[in-house]
Amino acid sequence: GQSLEQPSEVTAVEGAIVQINCTYQTSGFYGLSWYQQHDGGAPTFLSYNALDGLEETGRFSSFLSRSDSYGYLLLQELQMKDSASYFCAARDDKLIFGTGTRLQVFP
Amino acid sequence: SQTIHQWPATLVQPVGSPLSLECTVEGTSNPNLYWYRQAAGRGLQLLFYSVGIGQISSEVPQNLSASRPQDRQFILSSKKLLLSDSGFYLCAWGSGSPSGAHTDTQYFGPGTRLTVL
């Protein structure tokens, strides 16, 4: 079957760094995306990795290792507004979403 | 710029009643359109996607159906709602091909929160 595994919840304090891991198992694979969703809101696109390595966009970075079927989202200089759910999504024939990681940032 | 609309924002329906949720996209032509459902505290489940007018692919067999009567309009329907149909329904459009190496970044609408009682 096809699945993506993420931790269900992560907590951290303002200013800290947090890493959200994602392992995937899909019949085909083209790349890994990350989406952010605040409570009651719609998911918004954060990043996409098609190749191995690190992609940096401001405070957020995303990493992919195809050989390990693994990726992560790195959030630096955490702010209260970063409290949200984060979903990894694997690009197979279509986009397959993980179950999400709820990040809680404390002051 | 592109905008995606969904309505209604919230809906409470009795079991056995019909359903029609509408999604429209502005600012782009021939988008790939998607319907997702999200149960409380869960991930996104792809229900349907469409690459063009009248072209619908179903991912999950159930009592829901979808139609695309116009290029930028996508409708989710049911003839008889079940309790298990409750959830947060999200419409999305994608800029790339729904399959293949291109990223097909998806842009989500505000969603419809459906409660079936």
Side-chain angles (χ1 to χ4, degrees):
Chain A
Q2 302 185 96
S3 65
L4 288 90
E5 299 290 330
Q6 300 178 237
S8 59
E9 190 166 355
V10 174
T11 59
V13 295
E14 271 188 304
I17 300 173
V18 73
Q19 178 173 312
I20 300 174
N21 299 319
C22 173
T23 56
Y24 59 87
Q25 183 177 359
T26 56
S27 53
F29 180 80
Y30 292 108
L32 193 70
S33 298
W34 288 91
Y35 287 78
Q36 179 192 60
Q37 184 180 29
H38 287 98
D39 284 348
T44 56
F45 173 79
L46 291 177
S47 67
Y48 176 70
N49 292 66
L51 304 174
D52 284 0
L54 191 68
E55 296 277 347
E56 297 182 58
T57 310
R59 296 187 296 113
F60 294 0
S61 304
S62 56
F63 172 83
L64 176 66
S65 169
R66 286 172 163 264
S67 59
D68 296 322
S69 298
Y70 163 76
Y72 66 72
L73 179 69
L74 189 73
L75 299 88
Q76 303 182 73
E77 301 173 20
L78 280 174
Q79 302 175 10
M80 296 295 290
K81 67 179 182 179
D82 297 328
S83 292
S85 292
Y86 293 84
F87 295 88
C88 58
R91 187 93 167 90
D92 179 9
D93 185 34
K94 285 160 287 294
L95 208 55
I96 303 164
F97 282 84
T99 52
T101 299
R102 186 172 181 83
L103 170 64
Q104 290 189 297
V105 181
F106 294 98
Chain B
S1 63
Q2 300 86 4
T3 309
I4 181 166
H5 302 280
Q6 279 187 251
W7 63 90
T10 59
L11 191 59
V12 180
Q13 292 284 98
V15 169
S17 64
L19 174 74
S20 180
L21 302 180
E22 189 163 343
C23 169
T24 59
V25 182
E26 295 177 359
T28 185
S29 58
N30 197 29
N32 301 315
L33 296 174
Y34 304 83
W35 277 112
Y36 290 89
R37 179 171 61 200
Q38 185 176 33
R42 303 292 295 276
L44 294 158
Q45 179 188 34
L46 179 62
L47 301 175
F48 302 94
Y49 73 93
S50 171
V51 299
I53 296 173
Q55 299 179 63
I56 307 295
S57 295
S58 174
E59 291 299 301
V60 183
Q62 53 198 331
N63 67 319
L64 299 173
S65 62
S67 61
R68 187 169 177 175
Q70 299 180 44
D71 181 44
R72 285 170 282 184
Q73 184 185 30
F74 204 23
I75 298 172
L76 182 70
S77 305
S78 175
K79 292 182 179 178
K80 285 187 178 181
L81 283 169
L82 307 173
L83 285 174
S84 58
D85 291 325
S86 293
F88 190 39
Y89 287 82
L90 290 154
C91 179
W93 74 273
S95 56
S97 168
S99 63
H102 301 289
T103 172
D104 192 30
T105 299
Q106 298 198 0
Y107 303 91
F108 288 84
T112 295
R113 195 162 303 278
L114 171 67
T115 303
V116 182
L117 302 175

